[in-house]
Amino acid sequence: PDGRRLITGVSVVDGDPAAMWDAARGGLLRTFRQPYFSIAFVEVFPCGTKLLTCDHEDTVYVWSVASGVIERSWSVEYSGSVESSAPLSLGYFFDVKVSRGGEYIFVSAQDYGVFVWNATGHHLRTLSLQPGIPIIELLLDGRRMVGFMQGTREIEIWDVLTGERRQLLDDNRDVQYTELATGAHLVAACGIRRPADAGRKESNISRVAVWDTITGQVLHREEMYVTRGQVS
């Protein structure tokens, strides 16, 4: 959080560690080596004292940044989804997130959904999504998650504590969303839709929409001819 250290951690070779660097001088300060498999994702807790890593398989690790020691770890037990019977592509994590206050840990798994734990590793619930690659972001209140499957049209908001979900509304069903950004009460998503005239030579239309998460209604839409759009 102080901007003085940088964490890297996507492995190219099995056994490669995550590493902490001095951002100003470029010197290596510490490494974090998982006991098994390569590191697929790293996420720093907002407090800056803990580091979360996981592999592509089924194991999550929480480290002390100061000592480089694993404080706790746990493995995911895949089973039939609580809310969906979709076929599973087991053992493929796609993204990790830590809530703003550090209370909740989110790990999304392809074709499965999103696992939610508290900071001690206690499994709270599994949020089921449609089959595909899950894209997730957290709202700033720390207890709501926004998610969708990449390339789909449905964006949903989940309450982490109750499991309640609500779909954000959009009257254009031709958009396939690919990017997501969140704020305190706003959600922005970017996607593409094909021009109405199939014979046009321009790129697909990039569409950005902004929602109010209280009402679920679209506040603003913008469209442009670009190859790919992003929101932040």
Side-chain angles (χ1 to χ4, degrees):
D2 58 14
R4 300 183 339 196
R5 294 167 294 175
L6 174 69
I7 301 287
T8 61
V10 178
S11 296
V12 177
V13 179
D14 282 353
D16 283 352
M20 181 170 64
W21 308 80
D22 185 306
R25 298 179 176 85
L28 178 63
L29 301 176
R30 178 168 289 107
T31 59
F32 307 85
R33 189 180 300 277
Q34 291 181 169
Y36 309 102
F37 301 110
S38 58
I39 291 175
F41 302 100
V42 296
E43 183 83 1
V44 180
F45 279 70
C47 62
T49 63
K50 299 180 186 299
L51 175 70
L52 178 74
T53 70
C54 67
D55 52 41
H56 267 312
E57 303 299 323
D58 60 2
T59 307
V60 179
Y61 300 87
V62 177
W63 308 73
S64 165
V65 170
S67 66
V69 173
I70 296 174
E71 293 186 345
R72 61 181 59 89
S73 65
W74 61 89
S75 296
V76 174
E77 294 185 4
Y78 287 95
S79 62
S81 174
V82 175
E83 301 174 36
S84 171
S85 58
L88 307 182
S89 296
L90 300 185
Y92 195 88
F93 287 167
F94 188 78
D95 199 4
V96 298
K97 292 284 188 296
V98 178
S99 63
R100 191 180 187 188
E103 311 99 323
Y104 306 113
I105 295 168
F106 301 78
V107 176
S108 64
Q110 183 175 356
D111 291 336
Y112 196 81
V114 181
F115 299 98
V116 185
W117 296 274
N118 64 16
T120 65
H122 174 70
H123 179 248
L124 299 177
R125 64 181 67 252
T126 300
L127 308 179
S128 299
L129 296 171
Q130 297 178 10
I133 297 175
I135 306 296
I136 61 173
E137 289 292 344
L138 308 180
L139 291 168
L140 295 184
D141 59 17
R143 60 172 287 172
R144 289 183 297 165
M145 183 200 82
V146 182
F148 66 92
M149 287 300 181
Q150 191 175 52
T152 63
R153 300 169 176 83
E154 289 77 28
I155 299 177
E156 296 178 324
I157 298 179
W158 297 79
D159 185 302
V160 175
L161 298 183
T162 66
E164 178 185 358
R165 63 180 172 181
R166 182 160 55 94
Q167 185 172 322
L168 296 178
L169 304 176
D170 190 353
D171 59 5
N172 192 322
R173 306 300 294 173
D174 296 328
V175 179
Q176 293 184 332
Y177 291 107
T178 57
E179 303 283 346
L180 189 65
T182 58
H185 297 291
L186 299 178
V187 172
C190 182
I192 59 173
R193 73 176 180 84
R194 298 191 180 279
D197 181 356
R200 296 183 69 163
K201 301 300 183 182
E202 293 95 337
S203 303
N204 292 333
I205 297 176
S206 179
R207 175 186 176 91
V208 177
V210 179
W211 288 266
D212 183 324
T213 62
I214 304 300
T215 65
Q217 302 296 321
V218 176
L219 299 178
H220 181 74
R221 299 182 184 90
E222 192 74 32
E223 292 188 346
M224 61 206 81
Y225 285 96
V226 295
T227 302
R228 180 178 175 85
Q230 290 184 320
V231 292
S232 61

